[in-house]
Each structure stands twice: as structure tokens, then as C-alpha cells.
Amino acid sequence: MKNFLTTNIGRLRLLGLLEGISLLLLIGIAVPAKHMFGDPTLVKAIGPVHGVLFLLFVFNTISVGVEYQWKFKTTTWKVLLACLVPFGTFYIDKKILSKIEPSAD
């Protein structure tokens, strides 16, 4: 848990977790509530939060990709694509991010 806050990979993993949860809340609860009950309150609350988390995830992915010298064709595009797919950030965390050894700061 400490690495989530002290390393760039850890922060990216934390952002991925939060972004994934916000996307699931948005498409699983807020949007259906808006269309079934005509109440956009949850979309108005969760939408901007998800948007900020999405942008932070994208910017941090690019930053970490540069820092770790990821090849765009093999790693970076997969991590960026993950934030567009429900459960994608959870999958990419398990398959790629959790296996990257954090640098000693």
C-alpha cells in the first residue's frame, strides 16, 4: 500500500483502480438511473470525477511510460486502451503494472 503513494508506478496503479471504479459506477449505476428513472443527479456527480480520474490516468501513463522507457507499440498503448474498457484498468494492473518493479527512490 505504501508503494501506491511513494512511486510513480504505485500512483498509476492507484489511479487505475479509482478510474476503473468510477467508470463502473458511471456505466453501471448512474447512466441506467438516468435513463430508467429520468434522474441525472448521479451522472452529474460521478461524470466529472470520472473525467478527472481518466485524464490523470492518461497523463500519468504517458509520464510513467517515458520514465520506464516503455515502447509505445508493446506497452503504452495497452495501458492507455485499458482506461477505455470496463474492467480494463483492473486487468492491466494485474497483467502489466503489478509486475513492474518500482524504482528505489
Side-chain angles (χ1 to χ4, degrees):
M1 183 66 167
K2 182 180 176 186
N3 284 343
F4 276 161
L5 301 175
T6 59
T7 66
N8 287 337
I9 281 286
R11 285 187 287 274
L12 181 60
R13 291 181 69 196
L14 180 60
L15 280 170
L17 176 68
L18 296 174
E19 194 275 339
I21 290 169
S22 72
L23 178 60
L24 292 176
L25 289 173
L26 189 63
I27 64 172
I29 296 172
V31 171
K34 176 182 175 183
H35 291 287
M36 290 178 7
F37 306 116
D39 184 9
T41 305
L42 287 175
V43 172
K44 289 180 181 179
I46 297 172
V49 171
H50 170 69
V52 168
L53 290 169
F54 174 82
L55 290 174
L56 287 172
F57 184 82
V58 169
F59 292 139
N60 277 284
T61 296
I62 293 168
S63 174
V64 169
V66 169
E67 178 184 346
Y68 283 81
Q69 298 177 349
W70 289 347
K71 294 190 186 269
F72 187 85
K73 290 183 178 182
T74 59
T75 305
T76 308
W77 78 270
K78 293 176 186 176
V79 178
L80 289 172
L81 180 67
C83 65
L84 301 175
V85 179
F87 302 105
T89 54
F90 307 125
Y91 176 80
I92 217 72
D93 180 67
K94 182 165 180 68
K95 292 295 183 180
I96 294 177
L97 299 179
S98 67
K99 296 177 181 175
I100 298 174
E101 197 66 31
S103 62
D105 289 339

